[in-house]
């Protein structure tokens, strides 16, 4: 076990006030694997001070774009070189099977390369202006930015925002989930070794107190938060009070519509990936499967069989297909929702139990992949985010019925449509109220694709040019290029006001 309590920043100056520590658990065994500092409000203040000093006095914001872009490319190469260590570390910290973490984290360098490319290709706009004027725009760093990341995809979600923030010349304070800080701390060391100036990125490891202070800090110009809806609501209120920017990617209750023209077995295979990857701990996890009544029974049978066949076990074993939930508390929340679904009339078609695994996995937070069939749209399990390996299956009769049920929810992050009718695929995708819709697939992403939802799933976009642009502010400069002068009160004709 490595004590990381003092190795917290890319600066030589560490936050000063904390004496408390937090044990980090391996969710597959329940065993302590590390100890980190439990930072509080005073530590966040110190981290923001470090970041502000680097912004105002350091070389980073004023560095030529080409140099910043080259450094981002070096960071991408360094992450790639350390990839095996990062795969294993994240698997151990959050319990995802190593096959999943390898597939996901191997793409992290792409975000740094993509934003380096946007930076290298960035042009300042020259705007049309009547009269003898040259009008142009300059993009300027926002300042100190705060990034708050969740436990489920700690490094990928950090990379999406961090790469865009750094490309624009900002300095950053990162607060990872208190349960999964290890790959964030590893990344901080990697980017320091790659040559990022001191103080440009600072990591604070703490819980709610640290997160609340970061969102409320008067010197933080933007918050990017991925987490629960209530946390996002609090961050939005805190940033609004000082007119700071906020991007919030929050909860979800992803509907997936399965039409009668698809093979129900093929659709069930796609449904299993949507529902059970990351043990269902994803904001866009497929959680409401709306299936045409004519293939409903076949789909439920196929999905239940697939769920029962998923191999649970040691996340470090490449043969393992699903790992544990992040904590016993989360597992108990999911079990309670499953029980609620059954009480309200849903049928437990697969799973729902704690598996019998040998030691040391018996101390982990595993739960069987679960299928709740014969649900209705008004059930608790059909409306509330479960954040666990639970697929809720609901029959529908026609396209209008399916779209109505898909939109009958307070969330609007992701959605899916399975159909062989391409016109219907486009038509239905257009009518679903969600920030992202996949047709005949699920959870596919690229650095160029804006990521974010509507309704209570959040505001703003992560990734894509939209995210890149939101980490800067635009200054418009108007230059009079005529050699005469304006005398408004001298009686001249044809003067223009505004």
């Amino acid at each position: 076990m490595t004590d990381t309590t003092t190795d917290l920043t890319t600066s030589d100056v560490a936050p000063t006030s904390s004496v408390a520590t937090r044990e980090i658990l391996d969710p597959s065994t329940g065993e302590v694997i590390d100890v980190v500092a439990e930072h509080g409000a005073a530590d966040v203040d110190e981290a923001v001070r470090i970041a502000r000093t680097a912004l105002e006095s350091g070389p980073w914001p004023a560095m030529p774009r080409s140099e910043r872009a080259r450094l981002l490319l070096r960071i991408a190469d360094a992450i790639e070189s350390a990839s095996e260590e990062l795969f294993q570390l994240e698997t151990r910290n959050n319990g995802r099977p190593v096959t999943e973490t390898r597939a996901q984290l191997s793409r992290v360098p792409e975000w740094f390369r993509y934003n380096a490319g946007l930076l290298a290709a960035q042009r300042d706009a020259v705007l049309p202006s009547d009269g003898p004027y040259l009008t142009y725009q300059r993009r300027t760093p926002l300042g100190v930015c705060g990034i708050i990341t969740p436990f489920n995809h700690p490094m990928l979600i950090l990379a999406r925002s961090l790469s865009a923030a750094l490309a624009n010349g900002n300095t950053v304070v990162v607060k990872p989930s208190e349960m999964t800080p290890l790959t964030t701390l590893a990344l901080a060391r990697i980017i320091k070794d790659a040559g990022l100036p001191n103080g440009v990125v600072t990591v604070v490891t703490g819980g709610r107190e640290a997160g609340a202070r970061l969102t409320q800090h008067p010197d933080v110009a933007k918050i990017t938060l991925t987490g629960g809806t209530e946390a996002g609501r609090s961050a939005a209120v805190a940033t609004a009070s000082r007119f700071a920017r906020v991007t919030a990617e929050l909860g979800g209750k992803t509907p997936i519509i399965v039409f009668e023209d698809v093979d129900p077995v093929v659709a069930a295979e796609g449904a299993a990936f949507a529902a059970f990857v990351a043990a269902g701990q994803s904001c866009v996890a497929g959680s409401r499967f709306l299936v045409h009544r004519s293939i409903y029974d076949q789909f439920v049978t196929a999905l239940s069989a697939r769920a029962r066949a998923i191999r649970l076990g040691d996340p470090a074993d490449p043969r393992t297909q699903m790992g544990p939930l992040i904590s016993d508390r989360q597992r108990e929340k999911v079990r309670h929702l499953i029980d609620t679904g059954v009480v309200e009339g849903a049928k437990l078609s697969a799973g729902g139990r704690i598996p019998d695994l040998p030691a040391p996995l018996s101390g982990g937070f595993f739960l069987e992949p679960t299928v709740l069939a014969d649900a209705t749209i008004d059930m608790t399990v059909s409306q509330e985010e479960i954040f666990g390996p639970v697929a809720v299956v609901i029959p529908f009769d026609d396209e209008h019925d399916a779209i109505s049920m898909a939109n009958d929810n307070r969330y609007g992050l992701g959605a899916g449509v399975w159909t062989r009718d391409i016109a219907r695929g486009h038509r239905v995708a257009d009518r679903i109220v969600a920030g992202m819709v996949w047709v005949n697939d699920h959870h596919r992403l690229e650095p160029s694709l804006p990521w974010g939802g509507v309704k209570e799933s959040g505001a703003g976009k992560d990734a894509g040019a939209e995210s890149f642009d939101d980490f800067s502010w635009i200054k418009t400069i108007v230059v009079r290029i005529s050699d005469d002068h304006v005398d408004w009160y001298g009686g001249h004709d044809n003067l223009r006001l505004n």
Side-chain angles (χ1 to χ4, degrees), residues 366-429:
F366 292 88
L367 184 65
E368 291 177 341
T370 301
V371 178
L372 289 173
D374 300 345
T376 59
I377 197 64
D378 58 335
M379 289 181 179
T380 302
V381 290
S382 302
Q383 292 293 323
E384 296 300 320
E385 184 176 41
I386 298 176
F387 226 66
V390 181
V392 179
V393 193
I394 306 168
F396 72 85
D397 293 308
D398 57 35
E399 183 178 309
H400 175 79
D401 186 30
I403 294 170
S404 177
M405 287 196 290
N407 290 335
D408 183 9
N409 196 263
R410 63 193 176 103
Y411 296 113
L413 185 58
V417 180
W418 284 78
T419 180
R420 304 314 301 171
D421 182 338
I422 191 62
R424 178 160 59 186
H426 285 293
R427 182 173 66 246
V428 173

Side-chain angles (χ1 to χ4, degrees), residues 322-341:
M322 198 179 89
L325 279 81
I326 191 63
S327 66
D328 187 54
R329 177 181 178 183
Q330 181 64 21
R331 179 172 64 178
E332 288 308 303
K333 174 191 170 187
V334 174
R335 292 183 70 198
H336 172 73
L337 284 167
I338 293 170
D339 291 343
T340 299

Side-chain angles (χ1 to χ4, degrees), residues 15-343:
T16 56
S17 69
S18 285
V19 293
T21 58
R22 178 186 291 269
E23 294 179 337
I24 305 302
L25 303 183
D26 177 344
S28 69
T29 63
E31 297 172 351
V32 176
I33 56 172
D34 214 328
V35 176
V36 300
E38 179 69 8
H39 288 135
D43 301 300
V44 172
D45 289 345
E46 174 65 6
V48 173
R49 185 197 65 77
I50 291 170
R52 184 173 178 180
T53 299
L55 181 78
E56 296 174 347
S57 306
W60 184 245
M63 186 179 291
R65 293 177 183 175
S66 58
E67 286 188 39
R68 279 211 308 271
R70 282 197 295 271
L71 185 45
L72 288 175
L73 295 176
R74 286 205 302 275
I75 290 172
D77 292 342
I79 294 170
E80 212 159 55
S81 296
S83 59
E84 191 59 38
E85 171 196 344
L86 294 169
F87 302 155
Q88 300 295 335
L89 185 60
E90 186 144 307
T91 286
R92 198 171 184 208
N93 196 177
N94 77 352
R96 292 189 68 176
V98 70
T99 51
E100 289 187 16
T101 53
R102 181 174 282 111
Q104 185 178 82
L105 268 62
S106 64
R107 303 200 62 194
V108 164
E110 294 179 35
W111 265 263
F112 287 90
R113 290 173 180 142
Y114 173 76
N115 282 289
L118 289 180
L119 176 61
Q122 188 182 53
R123 294 183 178 184
D124 293 322
V126 176
L127 306 177
S129 186
D130 292 341
Y133 298 97
L134 173 65
T135 303
Y136 61 97
Q137 293 180 330
R138 296 295 304 273
R139 285 196 170 269
T140 301
L142 292 177
V144 179
C145 297
I147 300 176
I148 300 174
T149 60
F151 69 79
N152 53 344
H153 314 296
M155 193 168 175
L156 177 68
I157 288 176
L158 173 59
R160 287 195 319 220
S161 298
L162 181 62
S163 56
L166 293 179
N168 279 283
N170 299 286
T171 58
V172 181
V173 176
V174 180
K175 195 210 83 70
S177 165
E178 61 272 27
M179 293 182 285
T180 56
L182 300 186
T183 48
T184 299
L185 292 168
L187 180 62
R189 292 189 287 272
I190 288 169
I191 62 180
K192 178 181 179 180
D193 292 344
L196 195 72
N198 281 348
V200 174
V201 174
T202 308
V203 179
V204 289
T205 53
R208 290 187 177 183
E209 180 185 340
R213 180 54 182 162
L214 188 57
T215 64
Q216 296 163 3
H217 200 289
D219 290 339
V220 174
K222 177 176 177 175
I223 289 288
T224 300
L225 178 147
T226 302
T229 296
E230 291 311 310
R233 201 185 314 276
S234 297
V237 170
T239 51
S241 67
R242 63 181 188 276
F243 301 104
R245 296 187 188 181
V246 62
T247 294
E249 196 258 271
L250 308 176
K253 190 64 180 175
T254 300
I256 297 180
I257 301 174
V258 181
F259 285 100
E260 70 277 11
D261 58 350
V262 300
D263 182 332
V265 175
V266 172
E269 292 171 355
F273 169 75
F276 303 132
V277 70
Q281 297 174 119
S282 174
C283 294
V284 293
S287 56
R288 293 185 292 152
F289 293 89
L290 311 174
V291 183
H292 193 274
R293 200 174 297 276
S294 66
I295 61 168
Y296 180 83
D297 290 340
Q298 296 165 278
F299 178 89
V300 170
T301 298
L303 179 59
S304 299
R306 177 66 73 173
R308 286 190 288 268
I310 290 175
R311 292 191 298 273
L312 280 69
D314 181 359
D317 185 341
R319 295 171 298 178
T320 295
Q321 295 177 315
M322 198 179 89
L325 279 81
I326 191 63
S327 66
D328 187 54
R329 177 181 178 183
Q330 181 64 21
R331 179 172 64 178
E332 288 308 303
K333 174 191 170 187
V334 174
R335 292 183 70 198
H336 172 73
L337 284 167
I338 293 170
D339 291 343
T340 299
V342 172
V343 169

